[in-house]
Every structure is written in structure tokens, then in C-alpha cells.
Amino acid sequence: GLFYFSKDGGTSWQKGGAGLPTTPLAIAVTKDGEIWVGTSPHQQGSVWRSNNGGVSFTRASQHADGSLIKIPARPKLGPDGKIYLATLGKGVMRWQNDAWYTITDKAKYATDLAFAPVGSTSPTTILATTNNDWVWSIRKTGNAFVATKMPTPTRLPQEWNGKLPPLTAVAIDPNTPADKPLIWLTGA
């Protein structure tokens, strides 16, 4: 797959990505420089990480139940410094103890994640867009995560032809109140 990086603000580029078996779809970078890549489906797994600036990658697709994540995955850095994963088929996960743990499978076909309150060091709410059933609000209560489907709009935009579109991305405006944030969605 195509993977390049620049160490000079984009003036020059170097090829990286050794070890990636297929096309990268999404990238997340931790504060300590770990690079996480979600790829298109592959037998070897679809989540990879690099500890050397993206020169090479090793598989990080192991689920806590022993299975491999082989479906499209989009890693996101949470405000708590942990890597979260939106997956098409297994819900929302979090990396800990060298494995992926499912925090909810209700947002089963998750396409993207956003964290609230914005600017916090610990997410109290994670919004997950899906490609089949709108937006899920995942709230952290103690050590558990509870997922509830957000209300669908009562009046759909005319161009949606009376049905919800598959959603591809979500973002939260950091300048709006945490109890009523401004949320953006994109879809097909």
C-alpha cells in the first residue's frame, strides 16, 4: 500500500510502510510517536503499528478473545492517550494490554469516532457514526461503557429521499458547550 512521511513539513517525502500488507485507510499518532494504521480487509489483520516513525509496521490486530481483526478499521487517538478503533463489523474497541477490547458492539458497523468533551483528558462520551444505523453515543460510567442510539432527525433533508444515509465521519466543534455540542457528519 501507499505510505509516505515527511520530516520537514512536506518539502520532501520518504516511502515508509514496510510490513503493511494492503492499502492504509486511516492513521492515528500517539503523543509518544507510535503510529497506528487501519487498512482494508486482509487475512493478516487490518490494524498495524509503528514505533519507528512509519518506516516499518508490525501487526496489532489481536482481539482479546484471540481472533484477528480482518475487517476495515479506523484508529483514533482518544483524549486519554489511548487508541480507539471504529470497525465495520465488530463495533468500537480500545487498545490495552497488547490487545483490542470491545467497548461496545451496538455500533457494530462503526465508520468514525469523535470524543467529548473536546479538550478533556478523558472522554466521557464517544460518538460513533455507522454505515447502517445513524449515530451512537457511548458514555463512560466508571469502568464501563454504555451505548445508546442518538435520536434520528424528525425531518430528513430532502436529498436523503426519506432514509438515513451511510455515515462516514463525525467531528465535534471544540468551541461549543459540552452539553450541547455542535456536531458535523459526512455520509454517502
Side-chain angles (χ1 to χ4, degrees), residues 12-124:
S12 63
W13 294 89
Q14 297 173 341
K15 184 166 177 44
L20 290 174
T22 187
T23 306
L25 301 175
I27 302 169
V29 181
T30 65
K31 290 178 174 126
D32 62 358
E34 248 184 1
I35 300 171
W36 291 79
V37 172
T39 68
S40 54
H42 196 276
Q43 281 303 109
Q44 294 178 20
S46 57
V47 187
W48 300 80
R49 80 173 160 187
S50 171
N51 290 314
N52 61 10
V55 173
S56 62
F57 285 81
T58 57
R59 182 174 62 196
S61 301
Q62 192 71 26
H63 191 280
D65 68 8
S67 66
L68 276 184
I69 298 168
K70 300 178 186 176
I71 53 181
R74 180 180 293 266
K76 285 281 188 139
L77 178 64
D80 55 0
K82 295 185 186 317
I83 293 290
Y84 291 79
L85 195 64
T87 69
L88 284 176
K90 291 190 176 252
V92 179
M93 300 180 188
R94 181 174 65 182
W95 181 259
Q96 60 190 48
N97 302 323
D98 291 327
W100 291 106
Y101 288 82
T102 302
I103 62 172
T104 184
D105 59 1
K106 287 188 176 181
K108 186 169 183 136
Y109 295 96
T111 55
D112 197 16
L113 304 173
F115 302 91
V118 176
S120 162
T121 57
S122 178
T124 55

Side-chain angles (χ1 to χ4, degrees), residues 111 130-131 159-160 163-169 185-188:
T111 55
T130 66
N131 72 353
E159 61 267 19
W160 290 3
K163 58 184 177 178
L164 297 174
L167 298 173
T168 55
L185 298 173
T186 64

